[in-house]
Amino acid sequence: MTDKPRKFRRVDPDVRRESLIDAALRCLAREGHDGLSVRRIAAEAGVSVGLINHYFPSIDMLVADAYETLATNIADRMVKAVEQAEGTPRERLARLIEACFAPEIMDPALLKVWVVFWGMILHSPEMRIVQQRTNGRFCNVYERFLRDVAEAEDKRVDTTLLARGLSAMHDGLWLEFCLNPDSFKVEDGMALCHAWVDAKLA
Amino acid sequence: MTDKPRKFRRVDPDVRRESLIDAALRCLAREGHDGLSVRRIAAEAGVSVGLINHYFPSIDMLVADAYETLATNIADRMVKAVEQAEGTPRERLARLIEACFAPEIMDPALLKVWVVFWGMILHSPEMRIVQQRTNGRFCNVYERFLRDVAEAEDKRVDTTLLARGLSAMHDGLWLEFCLNPDSFKVEDGMALCHAWVDAKLA
DNA sequence: AACAAAGTTGTACGCTCGTCCAATAACGTC
DNA sequence: GACGTTATTGGACGAGCGTACAACTTTGTT
């Protein structure tokens, strides 16, 4: 009474697209730039080579979609982590910084993916557009919670500049940590970010 | 009375090695990861394909040498720029920050090269060793001039931590600027670095 | 002038790549 | 149950890749 053997199953196009993007991200996380290959992604997704080009005009478009997807996911998770937290604006900002240093962020495999994104941003206009959009989102998240603190404590600071500094410091620490996890402890990184914020919102 | 035509000229091995490394860096700066190819580097250096493997056991070793060379050059240039500057330690620190934001540093082509380095660090033990060594040098440069200021002004701060923060903030700003030069002005980046230092050395 | 040493060339090999496209098989509809 | 639609397959194609290696050329020595 076994199911009759099928050579493949049709899948809803949207679901299929998503599964291809997921497979691509898994390949990039595992193999970095070497994982960026139609054949490896197809194998990872369990489909044939040709299907990739059926859903994406070129490999660059697939990566651009993957970039948008991953960046959006991460930003959303951060916002949610803070929004469902209670406490003063100051405490919520601390939750945000904690979320920025969560284990799934401070992961060399994630940097492997991002390094590929960066390399493509420098050559592909489509990727550059995604970068500008997603980076703007990240900065807005930082600024939003920083402004909450500034308003609650009645401080007058340029929250845009403050957010840019926080973003830069976190990016630099994240990069260095992922390249060399022994160079410092995650707690030290969080302390540095807090030191920056406290210095401007003292 | 023309010179008799020669198919090639022998070159001192050390000079040849250096010219191959230079050619590799030029390829990486122009084409990013795509430039990392024996054939393109050979063409750029004006030699045949086989010569690369005669001087370097593998392409990875060539890049590792190129990494060490470029990082050392940049660090040395910065130190020299500050050392030949006069003034108080505080003023010399300002020169250092200026040097960090010099046009030849804030150059997308330089990031193209570095993105390739980062990608390889995450996979190659040899590259990881070079990263640790060169990054340590950079941090030492920062710390050295920060300590001068702290001592001259009799401030008690953890200059190691301060240097790590400065390094991270600069890296993050450099990255963002090279990815999207319209996102902020170089002067704003310098101001942020100064704000970090001033906050801790007020 | 002859010779040895070694820097340099050029090619062949096997592999992987992205793209293209005709054939195939699954699914909804009648 | 037959049919049309289309998601999916799988192989062909040309190009570029890293490596290896034998042949060639230059250079310095005798």
Side-chain angles (χ1 to χ4, degrees), chain A residues 81-99:
Chain A
V82 181
E83 276 182 342
Q84 67 190 196
E86 302 186 357
T88 65
R90 176 73 72 159
E91 287 165 345
R92 287 155 66 90
L93 180 61
R95 294 295 89 73
L96 177 63
I97 292 180
E98 275 172 26

Side-chain angles (χ1 to χ4, degrees), chain A residues 8-11 16 47-48 50-51 54-55:
Chain A
F8 58 87
R9 286 184 172 278
R10 289 191 167 192
V11 175
R16 181 67 87 186
V47 300
S48 72
L51 198 59
H54 182 262
Y55 279 94

